[in-house]
Amino acid sequence: MVDLISERLKLVKPSATVAISTLAMEMKAAGKDVIGLGAGEPDMDTPQNIQDAAIVAMRDGKVRYTAVDGIPELKDAIISKFKRENDLDYARSEILVASGGKHIIFNALMATLNEGDEVIIPAPYWVSYPDMVLICGGVPKIVECGIDAGFKLTAKALEAAITPKTKWIILNSPSNPTGAAYSVSEMKALTDVLLKYPHVWIFADDIYEHLVFGDFEFCTPAQIEPRLKDRTLTMNGVSKSYAMTGYRIGYAGGPKTLIDAMRKVMSQSTSCASAVGQYASVEALNGPQDFLKDNKVIFERRRNLVVSALDSINGIVCPTPQGAFYVYPSIVGLIGKTSPKGKIIANDEDFATALLEEAGVAVVFGAAFGMSPHFRVSYATSDEILKEACARIEKFCDGLK
């Protein structure tokens, strides 16, 4: 029988975060007591004014196909956002709207990668980066950025990773899965290196921009070094900050040549993003922004709660992240132990599996993000649920022998 599946797709793994969240939901549906800490989406409702804008759009019949790369009203709102918050100037022809941030990344890689082109990806990384590179024919160039480096790429490590085959570097700040974020000085050190290599393009994944804590100052590469703007794609979206994951709207600003190429990919694949989602996103970007500060207070409190609880458990080291809504604890002190039901914890996947089966807590194992032995916790849920989850994790770890 002819093998149906392409050789390229055989290189790709299913998303571990989606798999864990799906399994947790299935277990709950079967009546099991499971706390899911795998999903990367806020538990807040979409602000009412944004919901109202979606309803008005539907009632006004704004439910048809739009231009492939987005409605003019949303492009203008994105242009205003980039100028207001990032000091970046774009024309409408330099803006593209797609069905979520993941779609932006895929379109950019599909539009630009040739066979063998390398993409530098700091690890830990969001699970989809390497696999999207592989689907598009590229080669993921993984650079490990361990706990001692604050899970961040250094200028020295970046320069060592660049080769004549390097096409892109992907910078995600604040990061999924670690919550680590680059300070202005750290970002400047990276952009200074990139200035020396004009063949390297920069992908800035800024999806967690509004979720930084304390007095930390968010920055994005083209803002720090304007001379890189002509080879930088700055991506953002409404999913995380505006609690609009299901609206499926991501956007990017970049050079017209790149935007045109990405639009061509969309024209022969998905076509436009959701019309209703686009009109709701106009209100999200142009409307009141006060709730962003309120939500940030909530997430910072949850971060502190989870870091304090997990870091006090013997065998776990939990760094305090600068942003996003994840923590990425190390379990190096637990490797080699045995769970109460007899499972040997040989790696972080064993830990996550035993934790789910024996304690009813779903987390994502670190190998999925390119660095072990760690696990990721999403604290985008209520304080009460987080307290119970951390208590279960502590009890499970105390029971390891």
Side-chain angles (χ1 to χ4, degrees), residues 20-40:
I20 289 292
S21 298
T22 301
L23 178 59
M25 286 188 288
E26 289 173 350
M27 292 176 69
K28 285 182 182 179
K32 297 184 178 180
D33 180 16
V34 172
I35 298 175
L37 301 179

Side-chain angles (χ1 to χ4, degrees), residues 111-289:
T112 59
L113 289 182
N114 296 310
E115 292 289 335
D117 283 346
E118 295 176 351
V119 179
I120 295 173
I121 302 173
Y125 47 69
W126 179 50
V127 294
S128 293
Y129 292 147
D131 290 291
M132 285 195 283
V133 170
L134 291 169
I135 288 175
C136 296
V139 178
K141 186 76 173 288
I142 308 302
V143 181
E144 290 196 1
C145 308
I147 192 169
D148 292 338
F151 300 125
K152 289 182 275 191
L153 183 67
T154 64
K156 182 179 180 181
L158 169 60
E159 190 148 25
I162 295 173
T163 75
K165 294 183 178 180
T166 305
K167 177 64 74 72
W168 286 94
I169 175 173
I170 298 177
L171 291 172
N172 177 209
S173 177
S175 158
N176 176 3
T178 68
Y182 292 93
S183 67
V184 171
S185 61
E186 290 168 337
M187 188 68 78
K188 180 66 165 60
L190 298 180
T191 58
D192 284 348
V193 171
L194 291 165
L195 280 173
K196 298 189 288 184
Y197 298 92
H199 68 289
V200 180
W201 284 68
I202 301 97
F203 191 105
D205 182 346
D206 295 350
I207 198 72
Y208 295 99
E209 172 185 2
H210 290 116
L211 290 170
V212 293
F213 307 127
D215 58 359
F216 188 87
E217 181 183 351
F218 172 82
C219 62
T220 193
Q223 175 187 23
I224 294 299
E225 181 46 78
R227 287 175 290 178
L228 291 175
K229 182 170 176 282
D230 289 342
R231 51 186 171 102
T232 298
L233 187 68
T234 303
M235 187 275 286
N236 214 312
V238 297
S239 59
K240 311 297 184 180
S241 299
Y242 296 89
M244 295 173 65
T245 51
Y247 286 75
R248 306 310 303 133
I249 300 294
Y251 59 83
K256 182 178 183 301
T257 302
L258 175 58
I259 296 298
D260 287 347
M262 293 169 65
R263 183 174 62 246
K264 184 187 291 187
V265 173
M266 286 181 63
S267 73
Q268 296 293 3
S269 55
T270 59
S271 193
C272 63
S274 158
V276 172
Q278 290 189 64
Y279 283 102
S281 298
V282 173
E283 175 62 23
L285 295 179
N286 286 345
Q289 306 291 303

